[in-house]
Amino acid sequence: MYDVVVIGGGVIGCSIARELSRYALRVCVVEKEADVGCGTSKANSAIIHAGYDAAPGSLKAKLNVEGNPLFTELCQDLAVPFKRTGSIVVALDEKEVADLEALYERGRKNRVPGLRLLDQTALRALEPHISDQAVAALYAETAGIICPFTLTIALAENAYANGVEFFFNAEVKKVYALRPGAPRFLVKTDHLCLETRYIVNAAGVHADNISRLAGGDSFYLTPRRGEYCLLDKDQGSLARTVIFQVPTKMGKGVLVAPTIEGNLLIGPNAHNIEDKEDTGTTAAGLAEIIAGAKRALPSFDAQKTITSFAGLRAVPPQRDFLIYADSKVKGLIHAAGIESPGLTAAPAVAKLVREILAADGLKCKPKRNFNPQRPPVIRFSDLSFEEQSKLVRRDPSYGRIICRCETVTEGEIIAAIRRPLGARDLDGVKRRTRAGMGRCQGGFCSPRVMEILARELKLPLTQVTKQGGSSYLLAGPTKAPEETGKKGATNNGSL
Amino acid sequence: MEAYDLVVIGAGPAGLAAAVAAYEAGVKKILLIERDREPGGILEQCIHNGFGLFYFGEDLTGPEYAARFIQRVQERGIAIKLNTMVLEVTPDKWIIAVNKADGLLKIKAKAVVLAMGCRERTRGAIFIPGTRPAGVITAGTAQRFVNMEGYLPGKEVVILGSGDIGLIMARRLTLEGAKVKMVLELLPYSSGLTRNIVQCLQDFGIPLLFNHTVVAIHGRQRITGVTIAEVDPATKKPKPGTERLVSCDTLLLSVGLIPENELSRQAGIALDPVTKGPVVDDGMATSVEGIFAGGNVVHVHDLVDNVTREGEIAGRSAARYILNPKPAPSLKINTKAGAGVTYVVPQLIHPQQMAEELVLSFRVNQVFKDQKLVVALATGQGHKILGTKKRMIMVPGEMQEFKVKKEDLWAALGQEDSSSPLELTVSVPEEGEDHDV
Ligand SMILES: Cc1cc2nc3c(=O)[nH]c(=O)nc-3n(C[C@H](O)[C@H](O)[C@H](O)COP(=O)(O)OP(=O)(O)OC[C@H]3O[C@@H](n4cnc5c(N)ncnc54)[C@H](O)[C@@H]3O)c2cc1C
Ligand SMILES: Cc1cc2nc3c(=O)[nH]c(=O)nc-3n(C[C@H](O)[C@H](O)[C@H](O)COP(=O)(O)OP(=O)(O)OC[C@H]3O[C@@H](n4cnc5c(N)ncnc54)[C@H](O)[C@@H]3O)c2cc1C
């Protein structure tokens, strides 16, 4: 019997799980994908927003402004790279200056610290590559950049280290309220049947469905897709801060930002779609974001795109987060409709959910042995020559470079597989080590990473997948030599 | 710290040839560094034949061709470190490398030859929209799986791009029992060798669709199909209404190669924006003194024979520099891609130190039939034609060559004083265009 089952292993579910792991509770996370952070939490703008955007008085505004400062300590504890680059909203003509003032005013109402209006000279000094059309900007010093899946993985690992259980490849298909009026449920997936007192619904764009399965409040979350292009690191220095445009009638505009790893990210657009799994990109969409981004930063080279991707906003009906105890089903707590700035708000959302659970009758006794810290991850490419030498002498597997673009070693990949909640597939290794994220996108390293996965997980190579499920990478062995009369088909499983 | 006269980075055909040539020219303290588990470079996975027709006058497989040079390296006792990745080359020729056995290595060289080959362009680079499932794989990676590891990447295959690797893999996968449904090519012509189109597609009845591309990828976990469309040859944009769905479990990308120049860039070596490789002179010297380059790292070759030749030039020049280090003479001629030509290698000629004969390598930017090729030198006094040649056919997919004799070049130069800029242009002028001025 669990105290809490968290449905969904995105940044929201993992933040909540980690927050609950501070207390003497039995908690698990149930996730339909093969890893945490495979939904919207891996495909967004990766920005820790300052908080001037959201309407004053909304939950979004409150949790954004509460969440932002928490990142300093959180990222230190979890050994997650985070950088407060600051952000700017640029006015591309004189008329838009009034919009900046309105945003500044909204920020003041939301109690956002460190907001300043910059004139053209100050703006140029801050962003030398900004468009000549840019006349002024609103600068927000507390905004920052982070890798959203590194954060999600780190939260999950730390929750796990503090006793939270995780179930993967486990799509919740049925929820039975066992005793009407009392918090008591059965949560069913194809292979699991979990009994719990409370359910936290953190199923992202599918949270409306979970509420429906549990017989809870009815609401519909509209999937609104945002597409991105990620550009080569040689474009990364074109932007120093996160560059937004003034929101227009046409939409919020496309942003340009450096990523924490030094690439340049451009996007997103915003289009409502029907299919809640459709994270495909479109030719028109990519053209739209490139054109949009060029308005603020004309000089980037779109040909330097190394990959493109899309994420789905879970747009709630009233455009505010739905974080509350269900009005019909006792023990069902929603953390739903968490569109942007959900990443930023995540630590504050987790605290709020814990308070709601406590108010609903869950006894939260702090655990004395809670360890907020996650052991740091070794990054070979970040080390000095001397440190690298020492490391390879201690463990020679750090002397074999597997990913040439991002300089990732075999040692790092082995560690990513062996860590708590370690990688189980190619994408899991990629998100934990960056192997395959560089400009060749895995062309060079994927056969080598597959070999290490097969060896570590004791799987035949043909069972190694890209992202779990049926995402196999090899269809089978080639014909035996006698069948083709050709050499080369060795088939011995070792690469 | 270790010290060598010459360090060669990459033990593919270019690196192997460079090491042997430098040895023959009198430099004995040579180290070859290779990140893979065996020397030979990309040749090790090219188990088809067609290698060495020019260099050896024989039809060899890739590994056979490589084996001849590996043997020459071994016979000379040239040192080679395998499974060793070079992480950095500095302009003053320190090399930082790493492997499991030695750990971090810091090596000092008097000269360096860069022979890192090239890498494949990927899906992101060509903006194919859609989902991101498993089963979208570059042709070279597929080739490694099939030929070196013994695994089939998929059973129902669509190939995008008619570059040589894609063509070779169409045949290879068919032989392994996969169904290759079609090869799509964005352009109205193939970038692969004609012999490969015949032997790898036509002989197996695999359709090659020109002016076609993939406009979307489908499937959530494993690819289930692609939407293909015809493109307008003028704009290269898909024609609305021509889209159709083709089911497949694998999309193979053969959409071009890019010289691998991360190390060169770090070392501050000037790169040519068209070839994406170092700017080199007639001796394959880069813009950084004492660093030379050859093979696919300089520009993408179709034939290994030419790679070997470039490697040999780089090795000989490096040896000359080691035995008598002095900067290149000041008199120089820039080469230029004129009308109809994409690029010319080398980008720079030093007439005072050039060999008796120099090969200009270049590619044309469209298909030319029965057109004349013109090589002309522009000096302070005007234009002088160094040579013209009528060619039956020139296609972008096949590298063109033009040999320039030292004596002809000097004759054209005449009494040139070295202060005025000199330019050697290779062009395919339009019919009737006056190219004597
Ligand atoms: C385009 C875009 C840009 C954004 N930019 C920013 C930004 O810059 N800064 C910021 O602060 N926020 C940003 N956001 C918002 C932020 O990304 C989201 O708020 C956050 O990722 C939501 O996390 P989540 O955990 O709620 O959802 P998800 O990450 O989608 O997690 C939900 C999880 O639930 C699982 N699940 C669903 N159904 C079931 C089931 N039946 N059983 C089991 N598991 C299930 C899913 O597989 C998924 O892993 C952006 C969002 C988008 C779309
Ligand atoms: C699929 C395919 C089919 C072909 N078919 C034919 C054919 O039929 N006939 C023909 O004549 N030619 C053919 N070619 C062309 C020919 O094989 C190549 O042009 C030739 O191999 C290029 O040689 P290279 O030495 O420049 O590069 P490569 O062979 O790529 O060698 C470069 C080497 O450098 C190493 N390296 C790179 N970076 C580092 C580093 N940082 N540290 C250490 N080592 C490093 C690499 O591991 C590699 O071994 C084909 C090529 C391909 C890819």
Side-chain angles (χ1 to χ4, degrees), chain B residues 49-61:
Chain B
N49 57 349
F51 296 84
L53 291 167
F54 298 93
Y55 195 87
F56 291 113
E58 284 180 65
D59 192 2
L60 305 173
T61 65

Side-chain angles (χ1 to χ4, degrees), chain B residues 310-378:
Chain B
E310 260 185 32
E312 288 173 345
I313 296 174
R316 274 197 298 272
S317 303
R320 186 171 60 196
Y321 176 81
I322 292 161
L323 301 172
N324 181 15
K326 58 167 198 253
S330 60
L331 182 66
K332 62 173 195 209
I333 303 171
N334 291 309
T335 63
K336 195 181 139 197
V341 174
T342 319
Y343 70 78
V344 182
V345 168
Q347 290 86 345
L348 215 64
I349 302 168
H350 293 291
Q352 287 154 335
Q353 71 168 33
M354 74 181 276
E356 288 312 312
E357 189 178 79
L358 159 75
V359 179
L360 296 173
S361 304
F362 60 93
R363 284 184 194 270
V364 291
N365 62 14
Q366 53 187 289
V367 178
F368 288 112
K369 285 194 180 122
D370 284 325
Q371 290 279 91
K372 214 189 299 169
L373 184 76
V374 178
V375 178
L377 182 71

Side-chain angles (χ1 to χ4, degrees), chain A residues 231-251:
Chain A
L231 278 71
D232 196 289
K233 285 187 179 171
D234 66 9
Q235 305 287 302
S237 56
L238 291 175
R240 291 182 189 162
T241 63
V242 177
I243 305 172
F244 296 97
Q245 296 172 28
V246 166
T248 64
K249 277 198 276 324
M250 302 304 290

